[in-house]
Amino acid sequence: MKKHILFILPYLNQGGTEKQALSLIEGLRDRYKVSLLAPDGKGAPQFRALPILQRAYTKWEINFFKGLPELMAGIKEIQKEQAIDLVHVHGAHELMLPVRWIVGKVPIVFTVHGYHGSGTKFSYQTSCWFSNWFADRVISVCEAEYNLLRELGLNEKKLHLIYNGVKEPILDFDKSLELAQRFHLDHTNQIILGTAARLNEAKGLTYLLQAFAAITHSSFPTGVQAKKQDLRLVIAGNGDLEASLKQEAQDLGISDRVIFTGYLDDLPNLMHLFDIFVLPSLQEACSLACAEAMSQAKPVVGTCVGGIAEQVSDRQTGFIVMPRDPESLAAKLTELIIDIDLRDRFAKKGYERYRQLFSNEIMLEKTAELYDLYLSK
């Protein structure tokens, strides 16, 4: 009989936490019996389509007094189907308390997926407290986060570094063409800069708009084939700042060259159209979008926050700049825009780095090795 792994998530939206958990479930369910306990949300259909045992509970931020007993009841229901051998909690450290209460000595693995906002340090600190009390092992998705957790007092013996991994995409060029036509993109005659992110403050998109405006308002050296009118900036994603970012693009005089696509399920085929991927984040752990860009051999310009500098090797696979610095961002983007050979060199090296560190296969194997430390006992 296969060992039984229970995944518990605090939400099923459309972010990196869900994408990484979905990849783990899809990749490991042939090796283990996998069950899922998570609330409903916009990202739920992909999970609900999986042939695994699933139960839902109310998100705690909506109704804690309803969600807590539902979570506990869900664990008990899943236990009745088959005894749980290991619980993997994602993103929300507070979930480990009721989990430990119900499952007793069953091992708990907790993945920290990064915290954002003004209370970031407190969130990491409380994550350390909960992990020291209730977790048997803690997965950090980047070295920067690993070091921060250790500095804040997390028991180093519990810590494991496993980078987020992504599948190498199987592209459908007809769908890429459809997306190009839908968003009026011409991959042959335009240089397309692109990013994929939630439209919130932590992603630093206002600085990307400022940098792009600076590029379009400057002149390129004589003899350079790239022309300002051939530049496009694609921003894929949705979020609270969508209206204000669109207004900023209008105010900067670049709205005719900036395309807001909204959230897309078909990101790889859109990303295929990009010449350069940009990640101007102010807070980041291990970016799935960055790994996806590297899997398609895209040169990357990113900021030196969190794990971005671990993903992008500066001057080898792309450029690393300071956050909140649109001038530096514009300068490095311009360097790549006017130098196609540099773009090609970074692209090749970036793909090699993806295969070495950020592939889905590596993530699955390291996670299974961690599970088996307990399941083999």
Side-chain angles (χ1 to χ4, degrees), residues 47 73 107 219 293 312 318 326 332 341 347:
F47 287 88
S219 58
V312 182
K332 295 306 180 185
D341 291 334

Side-chain angles (χ1 to χ4, degrees), residues 26-96:
E26 289 177 332
L28 296 175
R29 66 184 181 86
D30 289 337
R31 190 181 307 200
Y32 309 104
K33 175 181 173 62
V34 178
S35 300
L36 173 66
L37 183 56
D40 282 319
K42 291 182 178 180
Q46 288 180 292
F47 287 88
R48 303 308 183 212
L50 296 173
I52 62 173
L53 178 62
Q54 302 186 44
R55 293 292 183 271
Y57 67 94
T58 301
K59 285 197 293 187
W60 286 12
E61 58 263 40
I62 293 176
N63 189 332
F64 172 79
F65 296 102
K66 184 180 181 184
L68 175 59
E70 288 179 350
L71 171 71
M72 297 169 69
I75 297 172
K76 292 177 181 179
E77 288 180 25
I78 290 171
Q79 276 184 320
K80 289 179 181 178
E81 295 284 336
Q82 181 180 326
I84 297 168
D85 295 294
L86 184 145
V87 179
H88 193 161
V89 177
H90 289 261
H93 46 263
E94 62 273 13
L95 295 176
M96 288 191 284

Side-chain angles (χ1 to χ4, degrees), residues 27 30 35 86 123-124 136 138 141 157 170 181 209 297 367 371:
D30 289 337
S35 300
L86 184 145
S123 295
Y124 276 110
D136 294 277
V138 177
V141 297
K157 293 181 180 179
I170 300 173
Q181 293 172 343
L209 290 176
T367 304
Y371 289 169

Side-chain angles (χ1 to χ4, degrees), residues 51-336:
I52 62 173
L53 178 62
Q54 302 186 44
R55 293 292 183 271
Y57 67 94
T58 301
K59 285 197 293 187
W60 286 12
E61 58 263 40
I62 293 176
N63 189 332
F64 172 79
F65 296 102
K66 184 180 181 184
L68 175 59
E70 288 179 350
L71 171 71
M72 297 169 69
I75 297 172
K76 292 177 181 179
E77 288 180 25
I78 290 171
Q79 276 184 320
K80 289 179 181 178
E81 295 284 336
Q82 181 180 326
I84 297 168
D85 295 294
L86 184 145
V87 179
H88 193 161
V89 177
H90 289 261
H93 46 263
E94 62 273 13
L95 295 176
M96 288 191 284
L97 174 55
V99 170
R100 177 60 73 200
W101 188 6
I102 298 297
V103 302
K105 294 183 179 180
V106 172
I108 296 175
V109 174
F110 173 58
T111 296
V112 183
H113 284 280
Y115 299 103
H116 305 294
S118 58
T120 297
K121 186 171 182 180
F122 179 74
S123 295
Y124 276 110
Q125 183 66 76
T126 54
S127 179
C128 291
W129 294 335
F130 275 81
S131 296
N132 283 334
W133 291 331
F134 304 117
D136 294 277
R137 287 291 186 268
V138 177
I139 296 173
S140 171
V141 297
C142 66
E143 188 174 353
E145 197 170 67
Y146 180 104
N147 292 332
L148 176 61
L149 292 167
R150 185 176 57 182
E151 291 168 6
L152 291 174
L154 181 57
N155 184 346
E156 190 172 355
K157 293 181 180 179
K158 296 186 175 186
L159 265 172
H160 286 258
L161 172 62
I162 302 178
Y163 285 120
N164 284 339
V166 300
K167 297 177 183 177
E168 190 166 343
I170 300 173
L171 298 173
D172 184 329
F173 298 111
D174 288 336
K175 289 185 178 180
S176 292
L177 180 59
E178 290 176 9
L179 289 168
Q181 293 172 343
R182 176 179 169 185
F183 297 115
H184 307 290
L185 298 171
D186 183 351
H187 185 52
T188 303
N189 297 309
Q190 295 171 346
I191 296 178
I192 302 171
L193 317 183
T195 192
R198 291 178 183 171
L199 307 189
N200 60 27
E201 188 174 354
K203 298 303 181 179
L205 296 171
T206 182
Y207 303 102
L208 175 56
L209 290 176
Q210 293 170 30
F212 188 69
I215 294 168
T216 60
H217 295 156
S218 64
S219 58
F220 293 148
T222 304
V224 173
Q225 291 184 342
K227 298 177 182 179
K228 292 184 292 182
Q229 60 267 31
D230 295 334
L231 299 178
R232 294 295 183 271
L233 172 61
V234 177
I235 299 176
N238 56 14
D240 296 338
L241 296 185
E242 183 171 352
S244 63
L245 289 169
K246 288 180 176 178
Q247 183 60 53
E248 183 173 8
Q250 185 77 33
D251 295 341
L252 290 168
I254 55 175
S255 59
D256 59 328
R257 302 178 200 175
V258 179
I259 297 95
F260 291 87
T261 70
Y263 178 82
L264 291 177
D265 288 323
D266 194 12
L267 182 60
N269 285 310
L270 176 69
M271 195 176 285
H272 172 68
L273 303 172
F274 297 174
D275 294 288
I276 303 166
F277 184 79
V278 197
L279 195 64
S281 301
L282 311 182
Q283 297 173 323
E284 197 75 53
C286 185
S287 167
L288 287 174
C290 182
E292 288 168 351
M294 294 166 66
S295 77
Q296 292 201 45
K298 304 297 179 182
V300 181
V301 179
T303 48
C304 58
V305 298
I308 296 177
E310 298 166 47
Q311 295 180 280
V312 182
S313 180
D314 189 31
R315 301 181 182 278
Q316 297 295 318
T317 69
F319 289 121
I320 293 293
V321 300
M322 293 297 293
R324 297 185 175 87
D325 188 348
E327 291 81 10
S328 294
L329 185 57
K332 295 306 180 185
L333 287 171
T334 299
E335 194 170 340
L336 285 173

